[in-house]
Amino acid sequence: MKRSAVLGAVFALLTTSVWAAPDTVLEKTETLESTVYGKVQVGALTDRVHQLQDTIYGKIQQGSITGQVDSLYTSVEGQGTKITLHQEVNALEWMYFDEVHSGSLVERVGEMERSVNGIEAKGSLQSRVQKLKQSIFGTQVALRAKQGTIGADQVFTLELTEPVTSQKNVKDDVVHVKVAEDVMDGETLLIPKGTVGTGHITEITKARSFGRNAKLNIVFDQLQGIDGTVFTAIQGEEAKAKTKGELKAAGASVAGAVLLGPVGLVGGFFVKGKSIDLPVGTLVYVQPESSVTISGVEVHGVDTGIVAKAPVEPVAAPKAADPVATEAPAVKTEPVQVVPDDSLTEKPVIIVKREKD
């Protein structure tokens, strides 16, 4: 398998975003706990802050609680020019697995350690990430900052990670998806493949007699960039044209297929006279509701001889891994295509990312 891509890796603060940073000490603490542990902790605020410091830094810092929380938040989520721990884990995971995974930072770092070394390491998250970079790349790599933009006409693909059906789902149900491809601005990665997001059902009706249509409308309003920027994607004209082109190339027929709804209404699905059943793996072409600026990783395609290890499934406890195991061939499945309805209007540092054949 070819391993490629030299990254002059850069992350930047977002300049425009619909995401609002937490303001209070408690809000920042809860955000940090959700990112680091996967859920908000309980107990006295002082104890929770000290626990975060021990997990992230490996030591307790001095100063006021406000100052300690601000320092933690800057280190993990960031509002300055320095690369954050969250961004660093996102980038490292993407470069190693070829996609990002869901879960807390503790879980994701542990998963990479088991895949690389066969066992989880001890110590602070900061030191463990540095050791992972050393193990994977043979050197310490530095990440710097750069911005990129996803234009309102830039199309990318979402994949349903749970089934949706007009027979069982109801209005306001949450629909879970993941980004099915790397979203780029030129050579800058803005959303890594595998990034999870959600939408919600805004309208749903079952198929009725006399050929009356089942109807399902979904809005994907919780998609995320690599820096945490949250935005809404829509099924606009470019996305509809992309879907039609893919169907035409495949020789598929629009007649009787699942149909997308009007511009600005993401996932308006229609099937004449029958129920709507969208299985896991259904692909939907979307585009941002408006242009969005996101931090990114600048990628240059250069072949290297470095071999990356195959990813492993997350496990509850450390599990030995074969240090020379090779990646199993991917099993290709035919994705479900969602069809549009025409009738509805410092110096860059070289690091390595593996690339699939």
Side-chain angles (χ1 to χ4, degrees), residues 113-295:
E113 290 170 335
R114 294 194 299 273
S115 180
V116 173
N117 302 313
I119 190 170
E120 291 188 22
K122 297 185 181 299
S124 68
L125 280 179
Q126 286 184 334
S127 67
R128 291 165 67 185
V129 168
Q130 298 308 309
K131 290 176 183 176
L132 275 170
K133 290 194 293 187
Q134 183 74 38
S135 296
I136 294 170
F137 303 112
T139 184
Q140 284 298 328
V141 295
L143 302 178
R144 297 195 316 166
K146 186 178 180 180
Q147 293 175 341
T149 299
I150 309 177
D153 60 350
Q154 184 170 339
V155 177
F156 60 95
T157 313
L158 302 180
E159 178 181 335
L160 294 184
T161 56
E162 62 185 359
V164 177
T165 171
S166 59
Q167 293 296 307
K168 295 182 180 180
N169 287 103
V170 297
K171 184 178 179 181
D172 295 327
D173 275 355
V174 174
V175 177
H176 292 88
V177 297
K178 66 179 180 180
V179 179
E181 60 184 317
D182 295 331
V183 180
M184 314 288 293
D185 178 2
E187 294 183 322
T188 301
L189 174 73
L190 302 180
I191 309 177
K193 182 175 71 173
T195 301
V196 297
T198 61
H200 69 280
I201 296 174
T202 60
E203 182 179 4
I204 187 167
T205 59
K206 296 181 179 180
R208 292 169 291 174
S209 58
F210 305 108
R212 285 178 288 182
N213 299 348
K215 184 176 182 181
L216 170 65
N217 296 331
I218 307 172
V219 173
F220 299 105
D221 52 2
Q222 291 292 312
L223 302 182
Q224 251 185 46
I226 194 171
D227 62 350
T229 302
V230 179
F231 66 98
T232 298
I234 67 171
Q235 189 263 318
E237 290 295 341
E238 289 83 3
K240 291 168 67 176
K242 174 71 172 177
T243 307
K244 286 175 60 180
E246 293 292 323
L247 286 168
K248 184 177 180 180
S253 172
V254 176
V258 179
L259 305 176
L260 264 72
V263 175
L265 184 59
V266 180
F269 303 99
F270 302 87
V271 177
K272 293 183 179 180
K274 62 176 68 174
S275 298
I276 299 170
D277 293 299
L278 304 179
V280 172
T282 296
L283 300 180
V284 184
Y285 287 110
V286 296
Q287 60 201 85
E289 185 174 37
S290 59
S291 295
V292 58
T293 299
I294 297 174
S295 63

